[in-house]
Amino acid sequence: IQNPTSWQWDFGDGSPVSTIPNPSHNFNSSGDLIVELIVGTDAGCYDTITEDIFVQGLPDADVGPDTTACFNNPNINLNGIITNAGGGVWVGNGGTFNPNTTDMNANYDPSPGEISNGFTEIILSTTGNGFCPSNQDTLRIDFIDGPTVDAGPDQEVCADTTSVPLSATFQYSGGVEWYTNDGTGSFASSTSANTEYFPSAGDVANDSVQLFVQTTINGNCFGDVDSMWVFFFDPPTISLTYPD
């Protein structure tokens, strides 16, 4: 139509139509869309044209929430997610990515400087962005103390003792578990920090038994183990002499 006096643009993404001749438009959805233009004249003549277009979604990099790692196990398994782009690349702060910087599930081994600093930040950027700008996301890793446990001091008890009280202290873990390698006795509760050990006849015959306690529910940290000894001594005896 020559000399149109009205324009109606339908961009195919559900947004309001535009009634100016040469609009600019930010698409709110991606994929294959149909753009339609209807022009008209004051005389009531109309013509329509459509065009199939492809709208690329904006690239997005997602590293997930910030996380922590232990000083005794500072390695981090990464889980990056890239959408609307061909791939991504990690950039660290001195550490090493295994197997490489383009593996979204790489393992990051921080440098000694990062660990001594107490935290580090690594960046994931999108690559293969087409006509769109790159996007990036940053992951902060804080380094924290690992689990510790203390079984308490060694104990000396009488050979006729029925049970030995145990009291462990721990931190930075979800719980503890008691066990013994050579002993044949039993625990009132092997998963309680404060519990009792019931020595067996074999324990008493050996004059001692070694008990261990280890941390459990350690997250991505290495657990800790401590031990204590229980020594068995003959009970005291008394004799009474008297004249006939």
Side-chain angles (χ1 to χ4, degrees), residues 84-99:
N84 299 325
V89 60
W90 295 97
V91 177
N93 198 21
T96 304
F97 295 91
N98 296 302

Side-chain angles (χ1 to χ4, degrees), residues 127-185:
T127 58
N129 301 294
F131 298 104
C132 298
S134 176
N135 179 252
Q136 66 180 32
D137 195 15
T138 301
L139 175 68
R140 179 185 171 104
I141 305 170
D142 288 292
F143 300 104
I144 61 174
D145 292 327
T148 60
V149 65
D150 183 0
D154 297 337
Q155 296 191 48
E156 297 179 354
V157 300
C158 286
D160 59 356
T161 296
T162 303
S163 65
V164 180
L166 304 176
S167 181
T169 57
F170 66 96
Q171 60 180 352
Y172 310 129
S173 73
V176 297
E177 182 177 18
W178 290 92
Y179 65 95
T180 177
N181 290 329
D182 300 321
T184 55

Side-chain angles (χ1 to χ4, degrees), residues 8-96:
Q8 180 172 298
W9 290 90
D10 185 343
F11 301 103
D13 61 354
S15 59
V17 298
S18 175
T19 58
I20 62 177
N22 301 300
S24 62
H25 179 70
N26 292 324
F27 288 90
N28 57 26
S29 61
S30 60
D32 294 313
L33 302 176
I34 298 176
V35 177
E36 180 184 72
L37 171 61
I38 302 175
V39 296
T41 67
D42 291 338
C45 297
Y46 294 93
D47 193 15
T48 302
I49 186 173
T50 60
E51 185 74 23
D52 296 331
I53 66 170
F54 174 76
V55 178
Q56 179 186 340
L58 286 173
D60 183 69
D62 184 4
V63 298
D66 294 338
T67 188
T68 59
C70 280
F71 286 114
N72 67 9
N73 183 28
N75 289 5
I76 287 289
N77 291 320
L78 303 174
N79 185 25
I81 299 175
I82 298 293
T83 53
N84 299 325
V89 60
W90 295 97
V91 177
N93 198 21
T96 304

Side-chain angles (χ1 to χ4, degrees), residues 184 199-208:
T184 55
S200 67
D203 295 338
V204 176
N206 290 329
D207 296 329
S208 65

